Amino acid sequence: MEAPYEEFGSLVFGENELRERLPRPVYLSYKKTVTNEGSLDRPTADAIAHAMKRWALEKGATHYTHWFQPLTGTTAEKHDAFIEPDQHGQPFTHFSGKNLIKGEPDASSFPSGGLRATFEARGYTYWDVTSPVFIKGSVLCIPTIFVSYNGESLDKKDPLLKSVKVLSDASTRMVNLLGEKDVKSCSTSVGLEQEYFLVDKKFVDARPDLKLCGRTLFGSPAPKGQELDDHYFGIIPERVSAFMKDVNHSLWKLGIYAKTEHNEVAPQQFELAPVFSDGNMAVDQNQLTMEILNKTAEKHGLACLLHEKPFAGINGSGKHNNWSITTDNGQNLFSPGDKPAENIRFLAFICSFIRAVDENALLLRMSASNPGNDHRLGANEAPPAIISVYLGAYIEQILYGLYMNSPAQSGKKETVTEFNPISGLSYIPHDNTDRNRTSPVAFTGNKFEFRMVGSSMSAAVPNIVLNTIMADSLNKFADELEGIKYLQDVRVKALEVCRKIIHDHKRILFSGDGYSEEWVKEAERRGLPNVRSFIESIDILDDPATIDLLTKYNVYSRKELTARKAIYTEQYIKTVTIEVRTLLEMVRKDILPAVTADLKFNMEAAAACGKKVPAYLKNRCSRLDAAIDDIYLSAEKLDEKFCALSAEGQTSAAGKKFYYEICPLMEDVRKAIDSYEVIADKRFYKMPSYMDILYTL
Ligand code: ADP
Ligand code: MG
């Protein structure tokens, strides 16, 4: 590999290492496990473990860990050294097949939502053979699932793997029915665009809200925001460039194809996108990416803010989940081909997707939600909380043409193949997608881009939901084709099913401005749900149809769903609780003393003026006097309500009260502080402002 990429994959025990280091039969047996055609026996596992250990020791690793993704949404690890004493007390290194395959972390403190009593610490981790082992620092990390003693899943990876299989089966069934019998399995391809903010670390140290909550709880807008659009795709500042270089290098070593980097819309907001990969691996790699962004920022004296809305009034951050389905012989099932109107397989998959989204809009909404995303969805330049699908005019016309029974070719291709903007360029790649950045679910050429997902979230749940709802819709479609003898008749029937789906689900298609007020009204008229908050979105986990769907495919059990709802509820209440406490602490220890000192200074100045007090001082004293009251009284009101509601326990009803009663009171405090901040004297008010934080890199 050329010099800058020399170390690509050097920290991954990947395909090459496996092939080179394992005896041929062991390697083949491992490959069978990966493709689900066999299970690992003890000698094979031992041989792989041995090779892995040798490789890890050569790379300087001293420990190994089962790396898993508990329901906190982050990753967890417990390290064990390879070194042990032998029976003579002499040191030797040890890592067996059993160590590789199964672990028993004493992980009783992770949320289990009642799936596991705390006194029973047992939870087990099992190696996920489909995601590569890697080295982080001096630790060999083995991606694993995390389940309870009874086999209930305690993590986000286990249901993801199940959903991948469910979708593979359904897609394969459908493709086979449509005539391609040689397809044996399908997988998802996922590309996760990651948005984030970078700020100088010193500001985070000076702001407890950024430090503890990941977002500012108050702060008046800087005189300049993002209105000039001068940050988007602009020149990347040098300090950020150095940071990105470091990030890329770390990611490449881990075999992650970090590809695109650019400034985002808001000041000091950026994006990183890797090349898409297998869905399960992409989710793991995104977790690693977030970790590396955080760590690298620290090394550069920066802080990486992954929160969905660190600053009010400017864009928040998302994680765009680009998703498609690929057959084992490499065909993208969302690829329109040259003649999409005649491509029945394409039409069937697109229509199945449309139905999946319309029937499960609430579940999809939930899958992209977390407490932080409440501040982003529907706010500045973020997708609304209403789910709709954007297909682009070209594909939409084809579908409507099909629906109206007019010749299927009616779609007018909006390509630029004829247009040659620069003389001398003989080849201009064509692009048959137009763009609508305001849609939460957009078809972008040969994949769907789900833009609602919060930037700090694990991408597991959105993919679990996409995979499962699509599988169900495909299976319904396939049911209608089953038993038809001749392929020609299958194709006729498939078109009929597509027409019916378009008829029943066209309400979910929307190509206008998703950020507009009119759309909110129009969506309501169409009967599309608009769930405002995370805490309300998780009610879908109690919905009988949703429970049926998820349990039918064994992606979650009923108990696991109940547990998740309990955990999400707790997570929400805890998040708001931390925010309220932080806000009150800052009001009492920083803000009120600052305004008081400011007022005292001005009152003394006014007194020194004798009889003729300048208007400026008079005005200032009365505004500061009012500010003290506003801040103090709004904070006391918040505290009172918070104390009362905190006593209600961590129920869903209490969570909704937190959203509808506590959050607006926090907003009141914010408004009071912000109006002081506008006139604050910097000698007394030391809190870094938006202007300080967002215009320094
Ligand atoms: P944009 O910002 O224009 O939407 P980016 O290049 O930033 O595009 O990100 C697009 C993401 O989609 C990348 O991660 C890319 O690898 C991924 N992607 C491209 N094709 C597919 C596909 N067929 N399936 C899934 N992801 C894809
Ligand atoms: Mg992008």
Side-chain angles (χ1 to χ4, degrees):
M1 188 48 67
E2 291 89 338
Y5 306 112
E6 225 161 38
E7 292 185 284
F8 186 87
S10 62
L11 296 180
V12 184
F13 193 68
E15 196 53 36
N16 284 344
E17 294 294 342
L18 280 156
R19 207 179 319 111
E20 270 171 34
R21 289 174 181 258
L22 293 176
R24 189 82 187 145
V26 175
Y27 174 72
L28 292 176
S29 158
Y30 160 81
K31 286 305 279 180
K32 279 200 166 153
T33 314
V34 173
T35 52
N36 242 319
E37 292 162 53
S39 56
L40 222 52
D41 58 29
R42 184 73 194 258
T44 308
D46 280 334
I48 297 174
H50 183 74
M52 240 179 224
K53 182 188 80 177
R54 293 254 56 90
W55 173 79
L57 293 172
E58 282 166 28
K59 297 271 174 194
T62 52
H63 290 70
Y64 69 91
T65 185
H66 276 194
W67 185 74
F68 60 104
Q69 305 178 23
L71 295 167
T72 51
T74 55
T75 56
E77 49 197 79
K78 178 188 114 190
H79 306 165
D80 282 300
F82 289 115
I83 199 157
E84 287 177 16
D86 67 9
Q87 68 262 46
H88 312 294
Q90 294 307 304
F92 84 120
T93 58
H94 175 77
F95 181 62
S96 67
K98 186 172 167 290
N99 296 147
L100 166 64
I101 290 178
K102 185 176 173 186
E104 192 190 329
D106 177 11
S108 51
S109 294
F110 285 114
S112 80
L115 287 175
R116 199 174 39 144
T118 353
F119 58 83
E120 188 208 29
R122 270 180 301 190
Y124 296 93
T125 48
Y126 293 92
W127 181 27
D128 166 17
V129 291
T130 59
S131 189
V133 163
F134 57 92
I135 292 175
K136 210 174 57 174
S138 53
V139 183
L140 174 74
C141 298
I142 303 152
T144 57
I145 61 164
F146 180 41
V147 297
S148 77
Y149 182 70
N150 298 321
E152 281 131 354
S153 101
L154 297 168
D155 73 347
K156 300 195 182 238
K157 186 189 259 290
D158 179 44
L160 177 60
L161 290 173
K162 288 173 177 161
S163 74
V164 166
K165 178 79 173 64
V166 166
L167 180 61
S168 169
D169 290 350
S171 306
T172 308
R173 179 181 173 211
M174 187 71 179
V175 173
N176 291 164
L177 279 167
L178 290 172
E180 290 173 79
K181 306 282 186 210
D182 47 338
V183 171
K184 299 267 178 301
S185 67
C186 296
S187 58
T188 57
S189 299
V190 172
L192 290 157
E193 300 166 56
Q194 178 71 51
E195 293 178 340
Y196 59 92
F197 279 86
L198 276 184
V199 303
D200 195 300
K201 172 95 168 26
K202 67 175 186 250
F203 297 125
V204 174
D205 291 335
R207 289 203 59 138
D209 49 358
L210 277 178
K211 205 170 185 165
L212 302 179
C213 314
R215 72 176 183 110
T216 54
L217 298 172
F218 54 84
S220 57
K224 174 174 184 284
Q226 60 191 45
E227 54 280 84
L228 297 177
D229 288 327
D230 51 353
H231 190 253
Y232 190 49
F233 280 21
I235 295 163
I236 298 173
E238 222 163 280
R239 203 167 155 202
V240 177
S241 236
F243 158 84
M244 286 177 169
K245 187 174 170 192
D246 218 354
V247 167
N248 288 333
H249 209 72
S250 302
L251 293 177
W252 290 334
K253 280 202 268 188
L254 285 165
I256 300 172
Y257 287 92
K259 171 116 179 141
T260 308
E261 59 193 23
H262 61 80
N263 286 2
E264 259 303 328
V265 174
Q268 289 182 201
Q269 190 188 28
F270 307 93
E271 180 185 296
L272 166 75
V275 177
F276 65 92
S277 58
D278 162 77
N280 172 46
M281 211 163 85
V283 171
D284 283 356
Q285 295 189 333
N286 177 254
Q287 291 285 3
L288 271 177
T289 302
M290 291 195 286
E291 190 178 322
I292 282 169
L293 284 170
N294 280 329
K295 273 196 194 151
T296 312
E298 228 165 279
K299 256 190 4 206
H300 288 251
L302 299 165
C304 175
L305 307 176
L306 289 167
H307 193 283
E308 287 70 19
K309 195 77 178 177
F311 305 99
I314 53 174
N315 275 18
S317 300
K319 179 167 351 239
H320 297 180
N321 191 97
N322 294 273
W323 176 88
S324 65
I325 311 171
T326 316
T327 62
D328 54 357
N329 55 14
Q331 306 179 70
N332 177 345
L333 295 170
F334 288 131
S335 176
D338 285 337
K339 293 183 178 163
E342 294 162 29
N343 183 346
I344 292 184
R345 190 186 70 192
F346 168 72
L347 295 172
F349 272 79
I350 290 284
C351 288
S352 297
F353 183 78
I354 291 168
R355 169 168 60 193
V357 174
D358 190 29
E359 285 184 347
N360 301 284
L362 286 172
L363 187 58
L364 205 53
R365 159 59 165 116
M366 183 282 296
S367 79
S369 308
N370 72 350
N373 224 1
D374 277 0
H375 305 284
R376 167 178 172 256
L377 295 179
N380 261 60
E381 303 282 309
I386 306 162
I387 297 267
S388 64
V389 177
Y390 172 77
L391 292 176
Y394 176 50
I395 303 296
E396 203 164 274
Q397 272 182 49
I398 288 174
L399 289 194
Y400 281 125
L402 170 69
Y403 171 56
M404 306 301 279
N405 232 340
S406 60
Q409 291 86 336
S410 64
K412 275 211 194 71
K413 207 161 188 169
E414 294 190 341
T415 59
V416 289
T417 35
E418 307 296 314
F419 169 62
N420 197 339
I422 298 180
S423 61
L425 268 188
S426 56
Y427 165 68
I428 299 197
H430 89 195
D431 177 4
N432 61 10
T433 62
D434 42 10
R435 291 258 161 171
N436 180 341
R437 298 254 165 213
T438 68
S439 176
V441 184
F443 183 67
T444 46
N446 60 6
K447 63 190 193 290
F448 280 95
E449 181 173 350
F450 186 28
R451 302 202 178 102
M452 220 180 207
V453 184
S455 47
S456 71
M457 296 175 66
S458 152
V461 180
N463 284 291
I464 294 168
V465 169
L466 284 169
N467 295 347
T468 312
I469 64 178
M470 181 64 176
D472 189 52
S473 187
L474 285 170
N475 276 327
K476 283 182 193 157
F477 204 127
D479 286 346
E480 303 218 40
L481 305 183
E482 207 73 71
I484 302 178
K485 201 160 161 202
Y486 297 107
L487 191 55
Q488 197 46 41
D489 298 335
V490 170
R491 293 167 66 87
V492 171
K493 179 71 183 178
L495 286 179
E496 188 191 315
V497 178
C498 285
R499 268 184 215 110
K500 172 96 168 65
I501 291 179
I502 300 165
H503 174 270
D504 293 348
H505 300 286
K506 57 184 182 314
R507 65 170 190 165
I508 198 81
L509 300 178
F510 178 64
S511 49
D513 179 1
Y515 296 165
S516 68
E517 259 313 302
E518 295 80 69
W519 168 232
V520 176
K521 286 186 205 125
E522 166 67 11
E524 194 180 339
R525 207 183 51 73
R526 295 189 190 185
L528 299 177
N530 184 2
V531 175
R532 294 184 61 88
S533 65
F534 168 66
I535 188 74
E536 290 163 301
S537 77
I538 60 179
D539 281 346
I540 194 66
L541 297 174
D542 288 333
D543 170 61
T546 302
I547 296 175
D548 280 352
L549 169 72
L550 295 169
T551 56
K552 178 166 90 186
Y553 290 104
N554 200 21
V555 171
Y556 290 104
S557 70
R558 187 175 282 267
K559 239 172 119 181
E560 287 166 356
L561 288 171
T562 311
R564 271 147 188 86
K565 178 155 186 216
I567 290 167
Y568 292 153
T569 306
E570 234 178 70
Q571 186 195 2
Y572 180 71
I573 293 178
K574 283 180 182 162
T575 303
V576 180
T577 297
I578 292 168
E579 290 187 347
V580 171
R581 287 194 185 136
T582 306
L583 181 58
L584 291 175
E585 170 106 359
M586 290 174 85
V587 163
R588 288 167 186 160
K589 301 211 168 137
D590 296 303
I591 315 288
L592 283 175
V595 203
T596 310
D598 203 340
L599 176 63
K600 178 167 175 268
F601 174 84
N602 284 284
M603 282 174 67
E604 283 170 5
C609 294
K611 279 202 189 92
K612 203 179 162 312
V613 180
Y616 165 69
L617 283 179
K618 272 196 219 156
N619 175 282
R620 194 161 172 83
C621 287
S622 79
R623 282 178 79 178
L624 290 172
D625 187 56
I628 292 187
D629 276 352
D630 283 350
I631 297 169
Y632 172 71
L633 293 174
S634 59
E636 288 307 300
K637 206 165 150 196
L638 169 66
D639 195 12
E640 203 176 298
K641 190 84 197 170
F642 171 68
C643 290
L645 285 185
S646 296
E648 292 193 13
Q650 303 194 328
T651 63
S652 168
K656 283 165 196 151
K657 286 191 195 162
F658 266 65
Y659 180 74
Y660 281 105
E661 296 175 34
I662 302 266
C663 292
L665 292 178
M666 284 178 72
E667 277 310 297
D668 290 346
V669 178
R670 161 174 215 134
K671 264 185 227 139
I673 299 174
D674 287 359
S675 34
Y676 164 61
E677 209 190 83
V678 178
I679 58 159
D681 185 329
K682 288 239 165 206
R683 280 169 297 182
F684 307 110
Y685 184 76
K686 303 280 185 211
M687 202 56 68
S689 68
Y690 279 18
M691 181 136 94
D692 301 324
I693 303 171
L694 290 171
Y695 294 89
T696 38
L697 290 186

